Amino acid sequence: MTESRDSALAPASRITQPLVLANIPPSPGQGRIARAFLLALLVILLGTWPFAAIRLPEVDAFVPTLAAALFVSDCVTAALLFAQFSILRQWALLVIASGYLFSALIVIAHALTFPGAFTPTGVLGSGLQSAVWLYWFWHAGLPISIIGYALLKDTDRVADARVTRRAISLSVVGVFALVIGLFLFVTHFEHLLPILFVDVRPLSLFRRTIGGMVVLALGGIALWLLWPRQRSLLDQWLIVALCALLLEVALASVLSAGRYNLAWYAGRFYQLVTATVVMVVLLAEMTRLYASLARSNAMLQHERKRLQRAIDAQHRERDARLMTGDAVAATIAHEVKQPLAAMITRSETGLRWLDRAVPELHMARTEFMKIAADGHRAAAVIESIRANFRKDERVRASFDVDNLIEEAISLFEDDLKSHRILVKVERSARPQRVIGDRIQLQQVLLNLITNAIEAMITVDGPRELAVSSSLSDDGDVLISVADTGMGIAAQDLQRVFDPLFTTKSRGMGMGLSICRSIVQAHDGMLWVSPNAPRGSIFQFVLGAKTA
Ligand code: ADP
């Protein structure tokens, strides 16, 4: 009954179409289920056959109740098939959808005329014959629409997207008109129609079986046409629905004509199967497709998130690289600026000593020696910055902190003098040695002193630079650089350590951030607090391990 999924999908046109029930090939498992289902229907038929004529209670409400169930499920099936038509735009689907709509409507017409269902004689007093004729029209509907469906399956023609909606509307209207027409015809002209069924008077075998024979013949043709053409899950379950309908007809009309006997009730069961089987499979398959869609959507989302994370990581890495590059460039520029400025000033001073009427060679020599020292310092600074970024190459040595302070202040001698800044150095009683990168720690001091000088020269009033060192109780060395400059606004006390934070027109905002990272690399801490009555105090401790 089934074809392999691959071969069924082979035509190129189908590969590009969306996968819906109408074109999904059945899997071998689904094929087995359909075959088992058919077998079960057959077994029920064989089991019922010997007892077909046993009379059962006449439940009048049974027909309208069943009709309602059949109406709903046929309507749902028709709606789902119309939806499949609007997706695939295959005319065959429109035909089969219309067939189910026809069944849905004619079931109601049949129930209305069925004696005892709504009124004892059927509405309009139509009588049993109308119900019988409508029953046969109803049962001929599905085989005829399957014949149309099977024949149209062969054509590759696909409906134009613009006409699908109109085609559906026209089909619905047409089916309504047909059912109303048939209903009116059989109820108004019942006397013209040959009698096919009667409860009391025995009818000839021909009369009794003709309706069933016609439907069985139509069903046979439908089966004969659809069987070799079955490719999709829909085809497979249409065959099951058709077989259920034919079994019902065989059971209820050919084997045992009569109402409210076992065959009649079993027939209603087959009606229910005919009406619901395609609907159930349509809904189940839709749910399955929806679930796999949801799954692949979730996988897509997951993959997208993973990709986004990878892209973000790449961006972060690139930013980090740029930041590092920026930081290196800014640090070098910042740190070398000071010795370069000093070298320029000293060379100008040296030249002035030489330009005198009687050149002061000794003084000039001193300046040039200082220039050479500045040059060495600049080189050492650059080397130290490199080492700072290549964290493995730290130069650690033990040195005297007070010595370091004095050396740093001596480098600012001229500046301090020219800006009339009083310098106070307080050193602790005993020499304090720390272990670390001397050049880097000197840079910290130079930065703090430069900032202190710059903060003081912008304001009037006494200018005092106090640099001190002391030993804390737990053996840490505390170094403090205090000034009487303009001070730091309370909201900036933390921000001054951020890279690129500056309030100076030509500042780079790197000095304090470099200082903090150098001190932290020595297991220490650097912070600032306001000085009294004005100015700031920068302090840093060098950890006990360092000292
Ligand atoms: P820069 O000196 O290039 O601006 P820094 O990181 O050394 O970069 O300093 C950042 C900011 O901190 C300065 O622009 C200044 O506003 C403030 N600052 C630093 N030291 C002092 C100080 N001693 N007194 C007042 N403000 C200071």
Side-chain angles (χ1 to χ4, degrees):
M1 187 182 233
T2 56
E3 214 175 297
S4 93
R5 281 185 177 232
D6 294 343
S7 63
L9 270 176
S13 61
R14 238 174 293 142
I15 289 170
T16 51
Q17 282 181 334
L19 278 183
V20 290
L21 183 78
N23 63 0
I24 280 188
S27 66
Q30 286 165 328
R32 273 195 298 277
I33 295 174
R35 278 193 295 274
F37 201 87
L38 267 184
L39 202 69
L41 292 181
L42 217 63
V43 168
I44 293 172
L45 174 80
L46 295 177
T48 327
W49 196 337
F51 318 102
I54 295 175
R55 282 197 72 83
L56 293 173
E58 286 188 21
V59 183
D60 282 342
F62 184 75
V63 171
T65 311
L66 181 73
L70 296 179
F71 172 74
V72 171
S73 72
D74 278 339
C75 273
V76 172
T77 313
L80 293 175
L81 289 170
F82 277 127
Q84 305 253 322
F85 166 68
S86 68
I87 298 168
L88 298 179
R89 307 204 307 274
Q90 292 168 354
W91 291 111
L93 287 170
L94 186 68
V95 171
I96 196 69
S98 305
Y100 268 95
L101 182 64
F102 175 81
S103 296
L105 298 177
I106 206 152
V107 157
I108 299 299
H110 172 258
L112 285 175
T113 53
F114 197 87
F118 290 99
T119 60
T121 54
V123 287
L124 309 174
S126 45
L128 187 58
Q129 292 311 310
S130 312
V132 174
W133 274 93
L134 283 174
Y135 176 89
W136 291 123
F137 288 145
W138 161 18
H139 284 71
L142 189 66
I144 290 174
S145 58
I146 287 182
I147 290 171
Y149 170 79
L151 292 175
L152 280 171
K153 264 171 78 74
D154 289 347
T155 66
D156 272 348
R157 270 189 53 218
V158 168
D160 193 313
R162 284 163 303 183
V163 305
T164 48
R165 210 175 266 197
R166 203 168 336 135
I168 293 173
S169 313
L170 279 177
S171 305
V172 172
V173 172
V175 170
F176 261 92
L178 178 64
V179 173
I180 293 170
L182 287 174
F183 177 72
L184 292 177
F185 182 75
V186 295
T187 49
H188 285 80
F189 303 102
E190 193 190 7
H191 55 282
L192 297 179
L193 296 168
I195 293 172
L196 295 183
F197 180 93
V198 70
D199 274 345
V200 281
R201 190 155 41 96
L203 276 180
S204 69
L205 181 69
F206 176 77
R207 286 267 185 110
R208 266 195 287 128
T209 54
I210 178 68
M213 286 304 178
V214 171
V215 170
L216 285 177
L218 285 172
I221 295 171
L223 259 183
W224 173 67
L225 286 172
L226 186 55
W227 195 276
R229 289 174 175 79
Q230 56 172 314
R231 283 189 292 264
S232 66
L233 204 58
L234 176 65
D235 297 344
Q236 176 184 286
W237 287 95
L238 274 178
I239 287 177
V240 174
L242 183 63
C243 288
L245 178 132
L246 298 182
L247 290 178
E248 175 212 338
V249 171
L251 189 68
S253 74
V254 181
L255 301 179
S256 165
R259 291 185 298 154
Y260 299 117
N261 54 26
L262 183 67
W264 188 85
Y265 277 109
R268 307 306 108 168
F269 162 73
Y270 283 119
Q271 278 176 8
L272 209 59
V273 171
T274 310
T276 51
V277 82
V278 172
M279 177 189 75
V280 169
V281 176
L282 271 170
L283 290 176
E285 198 57 22
M286 268 168 60
T287 314
R288 199 184 62 78
L289 285 178
Y290 175 79
S292 73
L293 197 75
R295 257 199 311 279
S296 49
N297 206 24
M299 268 164 62
L300 218 68
Q301 292 280 350
H302 178 76
E303 196 53 25
R304 192 178 297 163
K305 272 189 195 149
R306 207 184 57 77
L307 259 166
Q308 192 57 50
R309 275 201 298 275
I311 291 170
D312 286 352
Q314 257 177 21
H315 283 172
R316 270 200 304 278
E317 202 182 309
R318 198 194 56 195
D319 287 352
R321 269 208 306 273
L322 288 178
M323 279 277 288
T324 317
D326 267 3
V328 174
T331 310
I332 292 174
H334 185 274
E335 301 301 276
V336 173
K337 212 169 76 179
Q338 199 272 333
L340 279 182
M343 285 160 87
I344 293 165
T345 321
R346 292 191 207 292
S347 55
E348 282 167 359
T349 317
L351 285 174
R352 272 200 301 277
W353 288 124
L354 291 178
D355 284 347
R356 290 207 168 182
V358 183
E360 290 276 1
L361 291 179
H362 176 69
M363 295 303 280
R365 191 167 185 276
T366 314
E367 290 304 321
F368 290 136
M369 278 171 67
K370 285 182 180 170
I371 292 172
D374 283 337
H376 286 304
R377 191 156 61 84
V381 164
I382 290 174
E383 193 43 50
S384 153
I385 292 168
R386 272 189 63 211
N388 200 28
F389 283 100
R390 285 203 320 260
K391 298 218 158 49
D392 47 319
E393 283 187 23
R394 287 247 166 72
V395 190
R396 301 252 160 181
S398 163
F399 57 89
D400 186 340
V401 173
D402 295 320
N403 214 309
L404 190 78
I405 294 173
E406 255 159 37
E407 204 177 293
I409 289 175
S410 75
L411 285 168
F412 288 100
E413 209 175 47
D414 296 342
D415 280 334
L416 293 166
K417 225 183 272 167
S418 66
H419 294 302
R420 295 188 309 281
I421 297 172
L422 185 72
V423 182
K424 267 192 185 171
V425 179
E426 263 178 51
R427 46 161 66 211
S428 58
R430 51 193 174 101
Q432 293 161 32
R433 298 193 74 80
V434 295
I435 299 169
D437 187 327
R438 194 174 193 281
I439 300 286
Q440 285 188 349
L441 290 170
Q442 189 187 49
Q443 284 309 117
V444 174
L445 269 179
L446 293 181
N447 273 325
L448 296 182
I449 295 170
T450 308
N451 281 345
I453 295 173
E454 284 174 355
M456 285 189 284
I457 57 177
T458 54
V459 288
D460 293 328
R463 295 170 177 172
E464 189 179 298
L465 174 72
V467 185
S468 66
S469 70
S470 59
L471 207 62
S472 75
D473 291 343
D474 39 5
D476 290 349
V477 176
L478 176 78
I479 298 161
S480 150
V481 178
D483 65 65
T484 55
M486 76 248 196
I488 300 171
Q491 70 270 18
D492 289 340
L493 278 175
Q494 277 311 310
R495 289 168 66 205
V496 290
F497 296 102
D498 291 346
L500 306 175
F501 175 85
T502 182
T503 55
K504 299 170 192 167
S505 58
R506 300 180 66 189
M508 286 200 291
M510 288 303 294
L512 288 179
S513 99
I514 295 168
C515 289
R516 185 168 255 187
S517 61
I518 291 175
V519 171
Q520 282 172 348
H522 286 79
D523 300 324
M525 271 192 330
L526 168 68
W527 69 96
V528 63
S529 48
N531 197 5
R534 60 178 187 159
S536 327
I537 309 176
F538 281 86
Q539 287 170 291
F540 61 98
V541 282
L542 297 175
K545 269 191 279 172
T546 324

